[in-house]
Amino acid sequence: MAFLVKKYGGTSVGTVERIQHVARSLKEARDAGDDIVVVVSAMSGETNRLVALAKAVQPAVVDVRELDVLLSTGEQVTIALLSMALKELGVDACSYTGAQVKILTDDSHSKARILSIDTKPIMKDIEAGKVVVVAGFQGVDESGDITTLGRGGSDTSAVALAAALKCDECQIFTDVDGVYTTDPRVEGRARRLDRITFEEMLEMASLGSKVLQIRAVEFAGKYNVPLRVLSSFKPGEGTLITYDDEEDSMEQALVSGIAFNRDEAQITVAGVADTPGTAFAILGPISDLNVEVDMIIQNVGADDTTDFTFTVHRDEYKRVIDFLNSKKAELGAKSISGNDRIAKLSIVGVGMRSHAGIASKMFRRLSESGINMRLITTSEIKISVVIDEKYLELGVRALHEEFELAGDEAEKD
Ligand code: ASP
Ligand code: MG
């Protein structure tokens, strides 16, 4: 018997049949004695459909207040239908919008942050034996306006509820059955991980494994809410995301996963003065353009000049190159160059903290595969390299093998 938050994403509640399927799984858990708060997304495609409707009416502006009123209806449909489906099965249930709970947020429409959650109405229902069904992705601000938490925000709703209610676990049901050692579409031998730490998950997520919203993982880490990713379609244990467990670290794999990101572009500003303020002169205005910079590398200066290289999202590449070219004289740069056909390849693992030689193992294997590394950055639990995009699949598979990440038994269905 446990107190659980179970969150179902859009595909899991995408049709009436799927909603009924979710209701049956919930009934099973309820019959087994679990206390359950369910958080649901809008039916798949619904939020996009609503966004398109808004665009059709207001093509030039985004009225975020009205957009939030509109988008929150998607989840409101699902909570009502799921509660009805539960009642059809004889399970006592009750639905709540974010405002009804209430999930109080700040007033940043379309990207609101949760400030507090009133747990009293939920606890009252739970004590009365009901399954409580809460709309994800939405809240209400101090003045009573409906807010939304940003795309994918139902994950955050679920984690926040689990934290506020002090649940045993927050279970995220989705269309994959867990977190994998790498993307199974690139490496067929990728293996589902039984466990991963919050830190590792954050690195994997920020590197493009889109299983969970990053904010939700951060939130779960901050409030120490055990998070489990499971499939709504295929029974299994999924992947548990928790803190690093000291006892387990003896058996810990050096590397837990291979992550990658194709969305990057690299830019080099060559021959700038090697003096205080140069990095700021280049990156300050880029941050003013609202462009996020990822990796940053400055060469050791020679002849009082240095080269400065960084990566940005590929969509921003042209804008940043044009901007820097317009500032070339001002920056005193010899040249501005770049490449938008690169990819970032990373190994992630808390095991790296206590083991030396992992970087050299990675570099040796990549060199044996004939892959040139253009940039390298490291953190305590991650080593990232930038390579030519055309070698990405090769690199992922080589490192997956090098760090022995494939399962012993082929766990394929
Ligand atoms: N329905 C919202 C979206 O599509 C929130 C969510 O699914 O988490 O972004
Ligand atoms: Mg979602």
Side-chain angles (χ1 to χ4, degrees):
M1 226 192 89
F3 186 15
L4 304 170
V5 167
K6 291 175 181 269
K7 182 257 169 179
Y8 291 87
T11 37
S12 309
V13 292
T15 62
V16 165
E17 289 70 31
R18 286 187 176 178
I19 290 174
Q20 289 167 327
H21 173 78
V22 168
R24 282 192 295 274
S25 318
L26 290 170
K27 179 178 163 39
E28 259 177 48
R30 184 75 200 112
D31 288 348
D34 290 337
D35 288 323
I36 305 163
V37 174
V38 195
V39 175
V40 281
S41 292
M43 295 167 79
S44 58
E46 181 61 10
T47 309
N48 289 341
R49 189 183 72 88
L50 295 168
V51 169
L53 286 179
K55 278 216 177 95
V57 177
Q58 272 194 316
V61 286
V62 180
D63 186 325
V64 285
R65 183 189 180 278
E66 304 309 332
L67 189 63
D68 278 358
V69 173
L70 180 68
L71 296 192
S72 65
T73 63
E75 273 72 12
Q76 192 168 334
V77 169
T78 332
I79 53 168
L81 291 175
L82 181 58
S83 301
M84 292 174 194
L86 282 164
K87 289 182 200 182
E88 278 294 301
L89 297 176
V91 178
D92 200 3
C94 184
S95 70
Y96 288 92
T97 65
Q100 282 175 304
V101 167
K102 79 193 212 179
I103 298 178
L104 185 71
T105 72
D106 62 17
D107 60 3
S108 325
H109 285 287
S110 84
K111 47 175 188 304
R113 302 224 153 227
I114 296 175
L115 301 175
S116 67
I117 296 180
D118 182 7
T119 55
K120 279 193 287 305
I122 297 179
M123 285 317 295
K124 211 169 140 222
D125 280 352
I126 290 289
E127 274 149 27
K130 291 183 192 177
V131 170
V132 176
V133 186
V134 181
F137 176 56
Q138 57 179 264
V140 64
D141 70 10
E142 215 154 42
S143 58
D145 283 336
I146 295 175
T147 54
T148 64
L149 310 180
R151 297 306 302 270
S154 299
D155 289 349
T156 300
S157 309
V159 172
L161 277 161
L165 295 163
K166 302 194 172 46
C167 289
D168 299 311
E169 204 170 278
C170 179
Q171 303 182 336
I172 309 279
F173 289 84
T174 175
D175 43 6
V176 293
D177 65 349
V179 180
Y180 276 69
T181 48
T182 196
D183 186 338
R185 283 167 301 189
V186 172
E187 169 52 273
R189 284 174 297 174
R191 178 174 49 88
R192 181 180 56 77
L193 293 159
D194 290 329
R195 290 179 73 146
I196 187 170
T197 68
F198 290 119
E199 275 178 293
E200 289 170 322
M201 188 61 216
L202 277 176
E203 294 289 7
M204 301 281 276
S206 64
L207 289 163
S209 325
K210 293 185 188 66
V211 188
L212 284 173
Q213 200 201 28
I214 292 181
R215 234 172 96 193
V217 183
E218 280 169 357
F219 209 111
K222 188 163 162 206
Y223 293 97
N224 197 7
V225 177
L227 252 186
R228 191 184 291 276
V229 177
L230 309 124
S231 160
S232 351
F233 308 108
K234 186 177 146 191
E237 294 296 301
T239 300
L240 180 66
I241 308 159
T242 55
Y243 271 109
D244 197 2
D245 190 340
E246 296 276 315
E247 280 167 32
D248 285 0
S249 56
M250 293 300 291
E251 309 153 41
Q252 207 147 47
L254 296 182
V255 170
S256 299
I258 313 292
F260 56 85
N261 185 353
R262 298 174 206 266
D263 301 334
E264 303 233 348
Q266 164 194 335
I267 295 171
T268 299
V269 182
V272 285
D274 189 13
T275 51
T278 301
F280 177 64
I282 298 169
L283 294 177
I286 290 175
S287 128
D288 293 342
L289 289 176
N290 244 325
V291 172
E292 228 177 282
V293 169
D294 179 19
M295 298 169 115
I296 303 174
I297 289 172
Q298 186 193 310
N299 283 353
V300 176
D303 323 324
D304 297 331
T305 68
T306 186
D307 296 346
F308 200 84
T309 300
F310 56 94
T311 62
V312 296
H313 194 283
R314 203 175 273 179
D315 293 347
E316 306 284 7
Y317 176 69
K318 189 155 183 319
R319 193 153 72 101
V320 175
I321 284 273
D322 290 349
F323 173 77
L324 288 172
N325 274 321
S326 75
K327 293 266 177 231
K328 195 174 149 194
E330 197 180 310
L331 291 169
K334 216 177 290 151
S335 70
I336 314 280
S337 60
N339 184 339
D340 66 349
R341 291 294 133 201
I342 55 152
K344 184 162 81 170
L345 174 60
S346 310
I347 58 176
V348 175
V350 287
M352 274 184 224
R353 274 206 187 104
S354 43
H355 288 84
I358 297 182
S360 67
K361 204 168 151 117
M362 175 182 190
F363 301 160
R364 178 185 42 71
R365 183 59 190 248
L366 290 175
S367 82
E368 283 166 9
S369 306
I371 299 174
N372 184 38
M373 300 180 287
R374 297 166 158 273
L375 303 174
I376 302 167
T377 59
T378 64
S379 80
E380 260 199 308
I381 65 160
K382 179 183 71 171
I383 302 169
S384 297
V385 299
V386 164
I387 61 175
D388 283 343
E389 189 189 12
K390 62 176 184 230
Y391 295 125
L392 182 62
E393 277 86 359
L394 180 66
V396 169
R397 288 194 286 261
L399 294 180
H400 199 266
E401 186 181 84
E402 183 67 34
F403 291 101
E404 297 171 11
L405 293 173
D408 310 328
E409 0 81 89
E411 201 197 298
K412 291 277 122 198
D413 52 355

